[in-house]
Amino acid sequence: MRVLSIVGARPQFVKLAPVAEAFAATATEHVIVHTGQHYDARLSDVFFADLRIPAPDVHLGVGSGSHGVQTGTMLAALDAVLDEHRPDWVLVYGDTNSTLAGALAAVKLHLPVAHLEAGLRSFNRRMPEEHNRVLTDHAADLLLAPTSVAMGHLAAEGLGERSVLVGDVMTDVCFRVRDAVLAAPPGPPLPGDYVVATIHRAENTDDPDRLAAVVDALDGLSTDVLLLAHPRLVARCHAFGIKLEREGGSLRVAEPLAYPQMVAAVLGSSGVVTDSGGLQKEAYLLGRTCTTLRTETEWVETLADDWNVLAADLTGLDAIVRRPVPSAEQGTPYGDGHAAERVVAALL
Ligand code: UD1
C-alpha cells in the first residue's frame, strides 16, 4: 500500500509524527508532501527534527498569500505530484488550507481520500478553518474521527457510514513527549508563576481594535504571561502599531516553541490562555486549566468541569485565568494514546 500524506502547517506536523511512526512499523510506502504553507523554521523544520518525522519527499514551497491564492497555488502544484505517485490513499490532516487543497486535488484525480481529525465543528462560518473541515469531510472517502462527539457530527451530516472512530493522534504524541520531558525536565522558561499564551486566529488578529483589546487584557493579567508569538500575531501587531512588550506589564514575549519545549512550558505553568485548537487539548491532557479567547470551541470535551473556559469577551479575564485547578477527575475523551495504529489499520 502507498499512502501520500499532505501537510503544510504546524499542527499538521504534530499529527503527522505518530502516524509516520505507525506507518514505519508496516510495509506501507509513506510519501510525505509539505505544501510550504508554514515556511518559518520555527513553525516547520523544528517539528520534523524534534518529532523525528522523515523529511518530506516533496516540498511545494507555496508560502503565504490570501486564502484563494494560497489554496489555489497548492491545488495547481498537487496535480503533478499525485499523478506521479498515484497513491492508494491520500491522507489529509485537520482544517487548514493545505487540508482542503489536498482533498480537492485528490478527489478530482479519483484518488481515495482519508481525512484525519474528521467531524470537528465550531459551527462558526466566519472561521476559515470551519469551511476547510466541512468541505474536506464531504469530499473524503474515509473519515477518521478523534472523538464520539465528532462521530455524532458526521452522522448528523449523513457521513456516518464513511466514518471510523480512531481516537486522537495528538494524544499519542502529547503523552510520549510528556513522558520524555518528565524524565529529564528542562529549566523553567520563566522564574515564578506564569501562564502560557498563544494568539493567532484571524478573528483575534485581523481587526485592530480586537487585537489591541486582547493584547491589553493579556498584559493586564496578575501573573507573568509567556506569550509565544506566532508570526501572524507579530505581523499584525506591527501593521497596526500595537506594542507587545510594555514597561510594568505582564507580557513576556518569546518565539514560538518547538513541541517538547511547548509541552515543558505548559507543564511548568499554572495554565494556558489561547485561541489555538491543539493547545486547548494539550492543556487538558497535561492537566492544566485553559482559557480560550473564542466564542466557541471544537474541543467541547475540554469544557467539562471548567478545565477549559471560553472567554471571548475578555470581561473578568484575570479571575477566569487564575481560577483553581478543578478537583473533579478528568475522563479520557481523546483516546488512549494509540490512535495512530488505528489510523493505519483503517487505511489497510
Ligand atoms: C494556519 C491555519 C490554522 C492553524 C495555524 C497553525 C489556515 C486557514 N489556517 O493559520 O488553521 O491553526 O496555521 O499555526 O490554514 N506566516 C509566517 N511564517 C510562516 C507562516 C505564516 O510569517 O511560516 C505569517 C504570514 O504573514 C502569513 C500569516 O502568518 O500571511 C498567516 O499564515 P497562514 O498560513 O495563512 O495561517 P496561520 O495563521 O498560520
Side-chain angles (χ1 to χ4, degrees):
M1 182 172 73
R2 180 184 297 151
V3 177
L4 186 145
S5 282
I6 300 176
V7 292
R10 176 169 60 176
Q12 295 167 328
F13 310 139
V14 177
K15 290 162 202 157
L16 172 64
V19 171
E21 191 181 316
F23 277 133
T26 68
T28 310
E29 185 190 340
H30 186 208
V31 179
I32 298 174
V33 178
H34 188 321
T35 63
Q37 173 168 356
H38 283 176
Y39 44 87
D40 280 5
R42 298 161 300 164
L43 298 192
S44 175
D45 304 14
V46 292
F47 287 82
F48 281 82
D50 283 329
L51 298 176
R52 297 190 301 272
I53 306 168
D57 300 277
V58 182
H59 199 296
L60 303 180
V62 162
S64 301
S66 68
H67 287 286
V69 167
Q70 191 176 56
T71 313
T73 309
M74 293 174 196
L75 259 179
L78 279 167
D79 271 358
V81 175
L82 295 178
D83 226 11
E84 181 193 337
H85 292 279
R86 298 296 304 171
D88 299 295
W89 282 107
V90 173
L91 183 56
V92 295
Y93 301 66
D95 60 16
T96 74
N97 290 339
S98 299
T99 315
L100 178 61
L104 209 48
V107 290
K108 296 269 184 179
L109 293 171
H110 310 298
L111 293 169
V113 180
H115 183 205
L116 183 83
E117 208 178 75
L120 288 204
R121 296 291 181 267
S122 67
F123 301 103
N124 176 353
R125 286 176 56 82
R126 291 194 57 79
M127 283 181 76
E129 293 86 356
E130 183 73 355
H131 299 289
N132 291 341
R133 295 181 191 114
V134 172
L135 293 167
T136 301
D137 280 341
H138 284 260
D141 302 276
L142 177 64
L143 302 172
L144 303 163
T147 62
S148 43
V149 171
M151 287 293 280
H153 293 148
L154 294 168
E157 292 174 28
L159 301 173
E161 280 183 15
R162 291 186 245 166
S163 307
V164 181
L165 178 63
V166 288
D168 194 327
V169 297
M170 285 190 64
T171 305
D172 302 17
V173 61
C174 185
F175 283 174
R176 164 152 64 79
V177 171
R178 175 201 60 191
D179 293 345
V181 166
L182 290 176
L190 287 179
D193 186 66
Y194 68 92
V195 293
V196 171
T198 76
I199 297 294
H200 78 274
R201 287 215 182 270
E203 64 254 41
N204 281 326
T205 57
D206 285 5
D207 174 69
D209 293 338
R210 172 67 187 171
L211 181 56
V214 168
V215 173
D216 286 350
L218 291 175
D219 200 50
L221 292 180
S222 63
T223 182
D224 279 349
V225 177
L226 178 64
L227 177 67
L228 306 170
H230 187 286
R232 175 195 274 273
L233 173 72
V234 174
R236 294 296 191 277
C237 282
H238 187 75
F240 301 150
I242 297 169
K243 265 189 92 171
L244 276 175
E245 237 166 330
R246 306 111 184 247
E247 199 130 334
S250 297
L251 283 176
R252 308 283 172 263
V253 181
E255 304 250 303
L257 293 177
Y259 194 77
Q261 281 73 38
M262 177 63 130
V263 168
V266 172
L267 284 171
S269 76
S270 58
V272 167
V273 187
T274 191
D275 61 5
S276 151
L279 194 53
Q280 291 173 53
K281 214 171 34 190
E282 279 148 1
Y284 183 87
L285 293 169
L286 297 171
R288 295 296 177 275
T289 58
C290 184
T291 303
T292 299
L293 304 187
R294 287 178 51 196
T295 46
E296 72 286 305
T297 178
E298 300 78 24
W299 301 108
V300 291
E301 301 83 359
T302 59
L303 299 173
D305 299 311
D306 285 348
W307 277 99
N308 187 11
V309 170
L310 300 174
D313 73 1
L314 307 172
T315 320
L317 188 67
D318 194 55
I320 298 173
V321 170
R322 309 286 280 147
R323 71 192 182 278
V325 175
S327 52
E329 225 177 280
Q330 291 182 331
T332 52
Y334 301 115
D336 56 2
H338 294 279
E341 292 152 41
R342 276 181 227 112
V343 168
V344 170
L347 292 173
L348 281 169

